[in-house]
Amino acid sequence: MESRKNSDRQMRRANCFSAGERMKTRSPSVIVIGGGFGGISAARTLQDASFQVMVLESRDRIGGRVHTDYSFGFPVDLGASWLHGVCKENPLAPVIGRLGLPLYRTSGDNSVLYDHDLESYALFDMDGNQVPQELVTEVGITFEHILEEINKVRDEQDADMSISKAFSIVFARKPELRLEGLAHNVLQWYVCRMEGWFAADAETISAKCWDQEELLPGGHGLMVRGYRPVINTLAKGLDIRVGHRVTKIVRRYNGVKVTTENGETFVADAAVIAVPLGVLKSGTIKFEPKLPEWKQEAINDLGVGIENKIILHFEKVFWPKVEFLGVVAETSYGCSYFLNLHKATSHPVLVYMPAGQLAKDIEKMSDEAAVNFAVLQLQKILPDALPPVQYLVSRWGSDVNSLGSYSYDIVGKPHDLYERLRVPVDNLFFAGEATSSSFPGSVHGAYSTGLMAAEDCRMRVLERYGELDLFQPVMGEEGPASVPLLISRL
C-alpha cells in the first residue's frame, strides 16, 4: 500500500512539471480517459514510446464494454465476445495469437449480418414446431435479394431512409419478394438478426450507410476464454486509476487539466479521450473551452444502439446440439435468439441476446423478471426447459459508464461522422469503436483507434521536443513475428 502511495505522489509530481523541467526530462505526459480497449491500447503504445501515461477509468475494473465474468466458475463475456475477421489482417490477431487463446469459428464467411453460418441452427415457430431448414435457407436467399434491391433504391434517391422504409419500397416494386405465413415470420427473424448486428431497430438504421464498414476475411470467431486475458495483457505495467470518473477537461496550448468526480485534478501535455459515445452524448464530461461545433455534431449525430445478454447457466444440456436457437414471429420484435455456448466451451450455457427496443424494454425489468422473460422465450422452443441454476444480466443501455452498447449509422447522417469524431482537437485525441469508420462497433475497431490516437499524440507532442528519434517505435511498427490463431470448428 505504501509503495502505491509513493507511486501516486511520483506520478502527480511528474505530471505537474513546468515546461522547462519537461524539456530536461524528455518525458512527455499523457492522461488516457477510459480503460476500455481503445484507451488501454493507446496507453500501452504511448508508454512503450517512453511517455509518462496515466489511465483514469470510472469503473472498478478495466475493459469497458468488454467484460469477462467468472462467477459461473468459467469465463463468459457479458459484453463483446467475438473477433470479427479471423485473419492476420485483423489488428488484434497478433496479440491473441501470441497469447495462444482459442477461437471457435462460428462463421466462415464475411457477412456483415450474421455471427453464424446457417449450417448449425434450429428455428422454431411460436407453437414450438421446428422450421424446416430448407425454408430458412430459401428465405435467407430472398433476404439477400431484398438487400440488393434496397441498395438500388438508395442509389436512386438523394435523401436517406430507414432500412424499414426501404423494405416497404422494395415490396411495392417487387411484390414477389413479399412473403406470407411462416416464410414471413422467418424473414422477420432475419431482420431481427440484422437489428442485433447494429443493436438498433430497422426504423432507425440508415439505408445509405448500413453496409459501409470494412469486412475483414475469415468470418467470426468466438473468444472461448473471453476477452479478459487480452485486455489484462495490454494493461500490464500501466498506471491505471479505477474509480476515477472524469467530469471536466480543460485544454490549453501548454497542456490539459483533468478533474474527476471526487475533486482530484491531474495535468499532462495531452489527453486521449476513449470513453463510450453514449457517455460523450450525455454531457457528463464538461470541456473547457467547449468542443468545436463540428466535433459536437459528430457526437450528437452518431447513433448508439443497445444489445444485451441474459446468460443462463443450466445444470445440464437439454437442447439440440446446434450453435444457436431461434423463435420466429410476425415482427422482428417478437423474434428470439439464443447462442449455445456448449458447442464452443462444453459448458451448459445459453445466451439470450435482445437488441434495439426489446433490449430497452427488458432493461426496465428486474434481473429476475428479465431472466423469466428469457426462459419464457426458451419454453416456446422447448416446453420442458429447466430453470437456470445461475444467471447474469447485462444492462449496457442504463449503465452510466456506457449508456449504450455500440455505435451505428442513423437515418440522414453521413458515415464520415466516425472520422470526425476521431480527428484530434488541439492536444485532445479521441479513440474507441465510435471513432472507427472502418470497424465501428467492434473490439478490433476500438483497439486500432487507440493505436492511431497514440501515434497522432506521439507525433503532435514530440514535435515540440524536436528529437523524435530518441523514442521507441510505437506498437505495430516493429514486433515479434505473428503467431497463427488457434481456431476450432466442432
Side-chain angles (χ1 to χ4, degrees):
M1 179 65 74
E2 185 62 30
S3 64
R4 179 66 177 175
K5 290 179 180 177
N6 291 336
S7 174
D8 287 352
R9 287 195 292 267
Q10 290 167 0
M11 185 64 185
R12 211 163 291 174
R13 284 199 299 269
N15 280 340
C16 292
F17 284 153
S18 69
E21 289 170 323
R22 284 180 179 146
M23 288 294 290
K24 291 176 185 177
T25 60
R26 285 288 194 271
S27 189
S29 56
V30 177
I31 297 171
V32 176
I33 303 167
F37 259 87
I40 294 299
S41 66
R44 170 85 277 142
T45 304
L46 287 165
Q47 181 159 302
D48 289 349
S50 300
F51 277 62
Q52 294 180 85
V53 181
M54 175 191 290
V55 179
L56 301 179
E57 165 57 46
S58 62
R59 301 179 188 271
D60 60 0
R61 60 170 179 83
I62 61 172
R65 288 162 287 174
V66 170
H67 181 28
T68 308
D69 186 277
Y70 293 83
S71 61
F72 291 173
F74 50 85
V76 290
D77 276 318
L78 274 161
S81 54
W82 272 277
L83 180 70
H84 297 294
V86 183
C87 59
K88 64 181 180 180
E89 293 86 358
N90 191 307
L92 262 180
V95 181
I96 294 172
R98 287 198 296 270
L99 291 174
L101 294 173
L103 292 163
Y104 179 81
R105 194 195 299 271
T106 58
S107 174
D109 62 19
N110 62 353
S111 172
V112 70
L113 298 179
Y114 321 116
D115 297 323
H116 306 275
D117 287 331
L118 290 179
E119 66 186 48
S120 182
Y121 66 91
L123 299 187
F124 298 80
D125 64 21
M126 299 292 278
D127 296 321
N129 302 308
Q130 185 166 353
V131 179
Q133 293 189 2
E134 296 80 6
L135 178 60
V136 179
T137 302
E138 291 173 6
V139 174
I141 294 172
T142 300
F143 183 59
E144 296 288 351
H145 288 163
I146 292 171
L147 293 178
E148 291 172 2
E149 292 300 320
I150 284 177
N151 290 346
K152 294 177 183 178
V153 169
R154 73 178 183 187
D155 292 342
E156 295 169 1
Q157 302 189 24
D158 294 330
D160 195 8
M161 69 186 75
S162 70
I163 285 289
S164 179
K165 183 177 180 181
F167 262 80
S168 299
I169 294 175
V170 169
F171 289 149
R173 288 184 176 187
K174 292 185 173 291
E176 67 273 16
L177 295 177
R178 187 188 297 272
L179 304 178
E180 304 292 339
L182 182 59
H184 166 81
N185 294 358
V186 174
L187 180 63
Q188 291 302 305
W189 186 85
Y190 277 97
V191 175
C192 170
R193 293 306 306 130
M194 182 180 192
E195 292 174 331
W197 182 268
F198 296 101
D201 297 320
E203 289 79 11
T204 65
I205 301 169
S206 166
K208 280 193 176 294
C209 300
W210 73 270
D211 59 350
Q212 294 302 297
E213 65 184 275
E214 181 181 340
L215 301 179
L216 293 175
H220 310 284
L222 188 73
M223 297 291 293
V224 176
R225 295 179 188 167
Y227 261 114
R228 185 187 288 188
V230 183
I231 193 77
N232 282 353
T233 298
L234 293 172
K236 187 176 181 180
L238 296 177
D239 182 359
I240 301 173
R241 313 294 177 91
V242 297
H244 281 62
R245 187 183 310 280
V246 170
T247 56
K248 187 176 182 180
I249 301 171
V250 178
R251 75 179 191 275
R252 297 288 184 265
Y253 171 75
N254 61 343
V256 297
K257 182 171 73 172
V258 176
T259 304
T260 63
E261 191 175 51
N262 62 6
E264 288 186 274
T265 60
F266 305 90
V267 297
D269 292 300
V272 175
I273 300 167
V275 300
L277 175 60
V279 174
L280 289 176
K281 282 178 172 289
S282 72
T284 53
I285 299 177
K286 306 301 180 185
F287 291 87
E288 184 183 306
K290 291 182 178 181
L291 293 173
E293 186 175 345
W294 58 267
K295 176 68 76 173
Q296 192 60 51
E297 285 179 354
I299 293 171
N300 296 342
D301 292 347
L302 278 171
V304 177
I306 301 176
E307 183 177 43
N308 279 316
K309 292 182 178 180
I310 301 175
I311 305 177
L312 307 172
H313 181 204
F314 296 94
E315 185 177 355
K316 62 180 181 180
V317 175
F318 54 81
W319 52 87
K321 189 180 180 181
V322 293
E323 286 178 4
F324 64 91
L325 306 166
V327 179
V328 304
E330 292 185 2
T331 64
S332 62
Y333 183 93
C335 295
S336 298
Y337 168 83
F338 289 87
L339 171 65
N340 174 18
L341 285 186
H342 184 258
K343 283 207 74 176
T345 68
S346 299
H347 297 296
V349 173
L350 292 175
V351 184
Y352 177 61
M353 300 175 66
Q357 187 59 48
L358 179 59
K360 294 178 184 177
D361 291 343
I362 292 176
E363 281 203 5
K364 299 173 185 175
M365 304 178 185
S366 66
D367 283 1
E368 294 77 11
V371 169
N372 289 337
F373 181 87
V375 172
L376 180 62
Q377 309 310 306
L378 185 60
Q379 288 173 340
K380 293 175 182 177
I381 300 173
L382 304 167
D384 297 326
L386 301 171
V389 294
Q390 290 176 293
Y391 59 80
L392 292 166
V393 179
S394 72
R395 298 179 177 277
W396 297 112
S398 54
D399 183 342
V400 296
N401 301 297
S402 57
L403 298 176
S405 297
Y406 42 86
S407 59
Y408 74 100
D409 292 284
I410 62 175
V411 179
K413 304 301 179 181
H415 188 72
D416 68 3
L417 290 173
Y418 292 100
E419 179 62 17
R420 291 191 218 171
L421 186 56
R422 189 194 69 80
V423 172
V425 176
D426 300 328
N427 47 7
L428 301 182
F429 303 85
F430 294 80
E433 57 83 17
T435 67
S436 175
S437 58
S438 297
F439 313 119
S442 67
V443 179
H444 66 277
Y447 175 78
S448 62
T449 62
L451 301 184
M452 287 190 286
E455 178 62 1
D456 288 344
C457 178
R458 185 177 79 106
M459 296 301 295
R460 185 79 62 91
V461 172
L462 294 185
E463 280 171 359
R464 296 173 57 189
Y465 291 77
E467 296 184 25
L468 295 178
D469 57 341
L470 291 178
F471 295 86
Q472 299 295 318
V474 298
M475 181 182 290
E477 290 181 359
E478 293 181 5
S482 62
V483 180
L485 295 170
L486 301 178
I487 306 165
S488 66
R489 176 77 175 182
L490 300 181

